[in-house]
Amino acid sequence: MTIIAPSILAADFARIDEAIAAVQAGGAEYLHLDVMDGRFVPNITWGPKIIEDLRKLTPMVFDAHLMVVEPERYVDDFRAAGCDRITFHLEATPHAQRLLVHLRDIGAKAGLAICPQTPVALLQDVIEECDTVLVMSVNPGFSGQAFIPRAFEKVRELRALVDLRNPACLIEVDGGVSAQNARDLVEAGADALVMGAALFGKEDPAAELRRVRALLA
Ligand code: DX5
Ligand code: ZN
């Protein structure tokens, strides 16, 4: 079954507990947490303290997406804050292989993200060390951007690589995902869909989540 990972970047932070309860009630498996540093991306979000506090609100899988330079400096803190899966950007560190191994050592699922301009071929020598590959289908930094259709081809290409070399690795797609493209993404090979504005922009995020789930059935 496809994993849905609501991105709370798009939620109202003054009512974050309600937003989390809504997507949990809607049956979301993961809670996607976008960490931005104002350097790797032109936006700033939150650090480990907020995640540690959110951890008390839900047993959902915490799926952290680090859009920060030098992610190796912060992963231990995010793990200690309660992140189960930690994904960093290939473009943000020269030592991705080492960091992937370290993430598994500290008990996290190890994820590697690629921006729209980064080819899938660059994952060839680290795919065995990945528990997740996250394909960005927008330029990272903001919720509510338009989906870049080239992501379909990248997911297909990645599906072939993953099936051959590491079938347990999850393929996650992030950016501009909605009821309009969810089914095509799953058919292309996606296992997990991050959804921000498409859920939290709706009056009833839980109902929209169930609608997306029904479209995928
Ligand atoms: C963007 C983030 C996404 C974002 C997705 O940099 O990585 O997770 O919140 O939001 P939507 O689904 O609105 O594009
Ligand atoms: Zn994200």
Side-chain angles (χ1 to χ4, degrees), residues 7 32-34 65 67 134 136 174 194:
S7 165
H32 186 81
L33 300 157
D34 290 297
H65 176 192
M67 285 158 275
L134 184 153
M136 287 300 311
D174 185 6
V194 178

Side-chain angles (χ1 to χ4, degrees), residues 131-154:
D131 296 306
T132 303
V133 172
L134 184 153
V135 175
M136 287 300 311
S137 39
V138 299
N139 287 289
F142 301 94
S143 177
Q145 303 180 82
F147 179 84
I148 299 171
R150 171 74 190 162
F152 287 120
E153 194 47 44
K154 292 178 81 168

Side-chain angles (χ1 to χ4, degrees), residues 21-91:
V23 290
Q24 188 177 318
E29 290 85 359
Y30 291 3
L31 192 66
H32 186 81
L33 300 157
D34 290 297
V35 177
M36 303 185 186
D37 66 351
R39 293 188 64 209
F40 183 69
V41 291
N43 193 7
I44 299 174
T45 55
W46 49 74
K49 166 74 164 78
I50 295 185
I51 293 178
E52 195 182 332
D53 290 350
L54 297 179
R55 189 67 281 183
K56 298 169 200 150
L57 296 178
T58 175
M60 288 166 81
V61 171
F62 272 16
D63 180 38
H65 176 192
L66 307 187
M67 285 158 275
V68 304
V69 297
E70 301 180 278
E72 53 277 2
R73 291 176 58 190
Y74 306 103
V75 291
D76 290 26
D77 291 344
F78 284 104
R79 176 69 186 135
C83 296
D84 303 291
R85 312 187 70 94
I86 299 180
T87 296
F88 66 93
H89 271 263
L90 179 62
E91 304 87 355

